[in-house]
Amino acid sequence: MQEIWESIRGWASENLTEFTLTKIYIACAIAGGTVLVGQTGLNLFGLGGDSDIDPDVDVDDLEGGDSLSFLSIRALAGFLTFFGLVGWGGTASGWGAGITIGAAFLAGASVMVFVALMMRFFRRMAMSGTVRPAEAVGLSAQVYLRIPASNSGKGKITVKLQGRSQEFDAVTRGPELPTGSACRIVAMPTEGTFEVEPLE
């Protein structure tokens, strides 16, 4: 009787553990996949975004101030999805529990790192395309719309900034600057408005 009981306990322990792990893998795959599909759908309508759960848990990049955000929603969703898929597939293929868990974790971690790298790449691309008006101070520009003398009104200038021709409001303390004349940007008294002087 004791042998029968031990046999039943051993069978139940082995099979219930496998059944429980399978349910965990499937749940992870469904949860992560749902988030990924949902965010992709939102992005198609311009509503998508990604946020970091804890911005302090970042690995600083050696080249600058940007970082790898491993705890973003997309990175975590990618981890869960591939952890679940690989774990589910490994269990169905008859892999041992230890090997399956290790392979699933490795797959999920690899996807998490890949997603973090891609997000950093897109952040860099966005930053490189952001116009920083303060960098125009000291550059030459051309008057696009007449600038009244002695700070009596605003005109407009065009200046080549970050490889593109940009248009900004401008004022001058000196004489009036007619359309088409050359000038130099000497200051930015307010955001998006430059103080200029004639370029001699």
Side-chain angles (χ1 to χ4, degrees):
M1 187 67 180
Q2 182 69 22
E3 292 180 359
I4 296 176
W5 175 245
E6 290 296 334
S7 177
I8 293 174
R9 286 184 58 187
W11 177 89
S13 176
E14 180 180 349
N15 286 275
L16 288 177
T17 299
E18 181 177 333
F19 178 68
T20 301
L21 286 175
T22 300
K23 288 198 298 183
I24 292 174
Y25 293 139
I26 293 175
C28 287
I30 292 175
T34 300
V35 172
L36 288 178
V37 171
Q39 283 211 328
T40 300
L42 289 175
N43 285 336
L44 292 177
F45 294 98
L47 302 175
D50 200 75
S51 58
D52 294 336
I53 295 175
D54 185 355
D56 292 330
V57 189
D58 287 338
V59 178
D60 290 336
D61 184 69
L62 296 178
E63 297 177 359
D66 57 348
S67 57
L68 290 177
S69 298
F70 292 111
L71 294 187
S72 68
I73 294 175
R74 284 192 182 94
L76 289 176
F79 174 86
L80 288 175
T81 301
F82 282 84
F83 175 84
L85 290 176
V86 173
W88 187 9
T91 301
S93 299
W95 297 356
I99 295 177
T100 302
I101 292 174
F105 183 84
L106 181 61
S110 298
V111 172
M112 178 182 283
V113 172
F114 174 76
V115 171
L117 288 171
M118 291 300 296
M119 289 177 61
R120 184 178 66 177
F121 171 76
F122 287 122
R123 281 200 304 270
R124 284 179 172 178
M125 293 292 290
M127 289 178 62
S128 66
T130 301
V131 176
R132 293 178 286 274
E135 295 183 1
V137 175
L139 298 180
S140 299
Q142 186 174 33
V143 178
Y144 174 71
L145 186 63
R146 179 185 66 87
I147 304 174
S150 305
N151 283 329
S152 59
K154 290 183 179 181
K156 288 187 178 295
I157 60 171
T158 57
V159 58
K160 190 170 184 179
L161 182 62
Q162 296 173 225
R164 293 179 292 176
S165 181
Q166 304 288 334
E167 182 180 306
F168 296 97
D169 292 334
V171 296
T172 183
R173 296 183 182 183
E176 176 182 301
L177 297 177
T179 299
S181 61
C183 61
R184 177 182 290 107
I185 299 172
V186 296
M188 188 174 70
T190 60
E191 184 69 27
T193 299
F194 292 115
E195 180 184 336
V196 299
E197 63 181 11
L199 185 61
E200 299 178 355

